[in-house]
Amino acid sequence: MPNRKQLKLQVSLPPLLFSSVLCVGITYPAIAADNNNNNSNKKPNPNQFPPNPLEIRVRDPLIPRSGRDKRPLTQAELATLATALDRLNAEAAAKLQANDEKGALETWYRELRLRRYLGLLPEVQALSRVGGIAWERNLSEDVQYITKRLQTIQQTQLKPPVELDLLRSLAAAFEQVRAPDWSVKVYEQILAAMRQQGNKVQEEALLLKIGELSLSWFDYAKAISAYQELVNFAQQAGDRTKQVNYLKVLAYLYGKDNQIEKSIKIKQELIEFYRNQQDFVQIPAIQLEIGSAYEAVGRLEQATQNYQEAYAFAWSIQQYAAAGDALRKLVALQRSQKQINAALETYQVLVQADYLAYNFYGMMNTYDEVGQLYLEYKNFAQALSAFQKGLELAQQLKHRESYFARQIQRVTEQANR
C-alpha cells in the first residue's frame, strides 16, 4: 500500500402420524356410516384437512381410569404420569436422532395431549419445547397445530388472577413458534401486573421485549410506543447511555414508519447530546443520516445543507474518512441535479479528503468518476487527465490497470475523430 509521499499526484401431515399415534391397546372412535352405507368403498378426500393431532380423543393406557370416570387424578397418579411423559419425551428425541421424524412426532403428540392432565404450565412448557423443534425442522403444519393450542390457552383459559410463571412460559412458547404478535399480547399482560406491583426493573425489561418483538414483525407503532416509554425510563433514572441507545432506535423506528420529521428531530437531539459530551466523532455520521432522510423525501436543499455540514464538521476534527463519505453523498446529489460545476468542485475536495484518509482506492474511483463526467460533456482533455491520474494510482495499487488503459484509449479515439 503506497503512502502519501510515494504518490505522484493527489403441507398436509403424513398418514403415519395418525395411524399409529398411540400405543397398542388404544381404541379409535367408530366412523359413522354415511347415508348410502358404502364407506368401505369410499376413497379418502385428498383435499380434506387432517385432524389436529393435539385434539384427538382416544383412550390412553397411561391414564388410570376410564373415560366415564371424571374424578381427578391423585397426586401419586400425577407423579407416575409425569415420569411416564418424561420417558415419552426421551423416546421421541431418540427417534428424531435416528432420523425417524414421523415416529418422533407421533410420540411427542401423545406426550403433549397427556401433559394437559398435569396442568397448564407443564403443558405450555412442553408445547414450547416441541414447537421449537418443529420450527427448526421447517414443519409448518406442526407449528400451526401447536400455535393454535397455545392461542386457545391464551384466549379462553387465562382468567385472572393468572400465575406469572404461566404467562412467561406462554410468551416464550409463542416466541418459539415465531408468533411474536401473540407473544406481545402475553407480555402486555405481564407488564400490567408489574405496573400494579410497581416493579420498575421488570417494567423496563418488558417494554424492551415488547419493542424488540414488535419491531421483528414490523408493528412500528407499537414498537415506537414501547421505546418512547423506555426513553422516559432512562431519562428519569439519569442513565444517559440507555437514553441515547433508546433514542437511536426510536429515530430508526420513526424513519421506518415514515415519520421523517420526528426521526430528524431525535437525531438533532443526539447531535446536541454528543456536543455537550464533547464526543464529536459521533456527529458527522448523524448529520449524514439527516441529509439522507431529507433526500429520501425530496427535500434536496436541506439534504445538501446537511451533507455540507457533515463534511465541514468532519474535516474540522480531522475525520477525513467521514468527510469523504459526506462528500460522496453530496456529489451524487449534485450530479443527479445536473449541477456539473458544483460536482466537479466537490470532486476536487473529495480527492484531498481521500488522500488525507489514505483512501487510495477511493481516490482512484473518484478520478474514474471525474473522467466519465468530463467525457460525457466532450471535455476530452480533462477526461484524459483524470483517467491518466487514475491509471497511475491503479498501477501503484495493482488494481484496475487495464480498465484505465482502455478508458484512455477510448478518450483518445473520440478526441481524434
Side-chain angles (χ1 to χ4, degrees):
M1 177 68 64
N3 58 36
R4 287 198 288 258
K5 292 182 178 181
Q6 293 173 316
L7 294 176
K8 303 176 180 179
L9 44 87
Q10 323 281 344
V11 196
S12 292
L13 286 177
L16 180 58
L17 189 56
F18 307 104
S19 63
S20 57
V21 169
L22 303 180
C23 63
V24 176
I26 294 177
T27 58
Y28 288 82
I31 301 175
D34 63 16
N35 293 333
N36 296 323
N37 295 319
N38 61 349
N39 276 349
S40 59
N41 297 323
K42 197 171 184 178
K43 295 182 179 179
N45 182 357
N47 297 320
Q48 184 177 2
F49 196 76
N52 186 334
L54 289 174
E55 303 302 330
I56 293 176
R57 293 291 182 261
V58 292
R59 173 78 188 282
D60 193 295
L62 290 178
I63 303 302
R65 60 172 171 73
S66 68
R68 295 179 181 178
D69 185 357
K70 301 301 182 182
R71 69 172 176 83
L73 298 182
T74 66
Q75 290 300 314
E77 289 171 336
L78 288 172
T80 300
L81 178 60
T83 301
L85 295 184
D86 289 341
R87 285 198 297 266
L88 283 180
N89 177 38
E91 177 186 331
K95 289 179 179 179
L96 191 65
Q97 184 69 24
N99 295 321
D100 182 8
E101 188 176 86
K102 292 180 180 179
L105 285 169
E106 292 167 9
T107 303
W108 266 319
Y109 277 126
R110 182 186 179 198
E111 178 213 348
L112 293 176
R113 288 194 298 272
L114 295 176
R115 286 282 178 188
R116 296 189 193 185
Y117 287 93
L118 302 181
L120 287 176
L121 181 57
E123 181 190 359
V124 168
Q125 290 171 338
L127 287 165
S128 179
R129 165 171 42 83
V130 179
I133 294 170
W135 175 267
E136 290 173 358
R137 300 183 74 87
N138 199 28
L139 304 173
S140 58
E141 285 189 351
D142 300 280
V143 171
Q144 291 174 21
Y145 293 140
I146 292 171
T147 301
K148 183 178 179 181
R149 175 58 186 161
L150 291 169
Q151 290 170 342
T152 299
I153 293 172
Q154 197 273 337
Q155 290 175 313
T156 65
Q157 300 191 28
L158 297 186
K159 298 178 181 179
V162 180
E163 294 182 5
L164 290 177
D165 286 345
L166 175 56
L167 286 174
R168 291 190 178 96
S169 293
L170 187 58
F174 278 124
E175 288 190 67
Q176 284 287 79
V177 295
R178 307 310 191 272
D181 50 339
W182 284 87
S183 187
V184 165
K185 292 177 183 178
V186 181
Y187 279 124
E188 286 176 335
Q189 291 179 264
I190 304 173
L191 177 61
M194 292 299 100
R195 282 174 170 163
Q196 286 183 346
Q197 295 179 11
N199 191 329
K200 295 295 184 181
V201 174
Q202 283 296 310
E203 187 177 349
E204 183 180 7
L206 287 163
L207 283 169
L208 185 58
K209 190 70 173 179
I210 290 169
E212 291 172 345
L213 285 172
S214 298
L215 176 57
S216 74
W217 61 290
F218 311 110
D219 187 345
Y220 298 123
K222 190 178 289 291
I224 285 170
S225 177
Y227 276 95
Q228 284 173 333
E229 291 193 62
L230 286 168
V231 169
N232 293 335
F233 259 98
Q235 193 171 22
Q236 292 170 7
D239 192 328
R240 299 293 288 171
T241 300
K242 279 187 176 181
Q243 185 179 353
V244 167
N245 289 336
Y246 294 151
L247 282 171
K248 287 179 179 179
V249 178
L250 190 56
Y252 169 80
L253 289 170
Y254 277 131
K256 297 298 289 186
D257 201 41
N258 293 319
Q259 299 186 54
I260 303 302
E261 291 295 342
K262 289 184 177 180
S263 178
I264 290 172
K265 182 178 179 181
I266 290 178
K267 289 176 180 178
Q268 290 170 338
E269 290 179 22
L270 288 171
I271 289 175
E272 190 61 28
F273 168 79
Y274 286 124
R275 285 188 190 275
N276 292 336
Q277 297 293 312
Q278 295 189 340
D279 188 359
F280 302 124
V281 175
Q282 307 291 336
I283 293 176
I286 302 176
Q287 292 174 320
L288 203 57
E289 291 174 3
I290 293 175
S292 295
Y294 277 129
E295 185 176 358
V297 295
R299 296 173 63 174
L300 304 185
E301 185 175 344
Q302 290 94 331
T304 297
Q305 179 181 342
N306 277 274
Y307 291 150
Q308 290 172 336
E309 289 177 358
Y311 140 69
F313 190 85
W315 194 285
S316 71
I317 59 174
Q318 299 182 348
Q319 295 293 312
Y320 300 113
D325 292 338
L327 289 165
R328 284 183 175 83
K329 296 286 288 186
L330 177 60
V331 77
L333 179 57
Q334 290 169 335
R335 291 192 63 170
S336 71
Q337 298 301 299
K338 304 299 182 183
Q339 299 172 1
I340 305 307
N341 291 331
L344 290 171
E345 290 177 2
T346 302
Y347 274 129
Q348 291 179 0
V349 183
L350 177 55
V351 168
Q352 297 178 46
D354 284 337
Y355 175 71
L356 293 171
Y358 296 92
N359 184 6
F360 304 124
Y361 287 94
M363 288 178 65
M364 178 183 65
N365 292 332
T366 297
Y367 281 127
D368 181 24
E369 293 182 23
V370 171
Q372 298 295 344
L373 184 58
Y374 276 125
L375 184 58
E376 181 181 349
Y377 287 89
K378 310 298 183 184
N379 190 332
F380 299 119
Q382 294 290 355
L384 182 61
S385 175
F387 286 132
Q388 286 173 337
K389 292 176 181 177
L391 177 59
E392 292 176 21
L393 273 171
Q395 289 171 337
Q396 295 179 61
L397 295 170
K398 300 186 183 304
H399 181 66
R400 300 183 71 192
E401 299 168 70
S402 59
Y403 168 81
F404 281 99
R406 288 196 303 271
Q407 298 308 307
I408 291 172
Q409 182 179 359
R410 176 187 173 198
V411 173
T412 303
E413 291 174 351
Q414 291 191 27
N416 293 330
R417 288 177 183 173

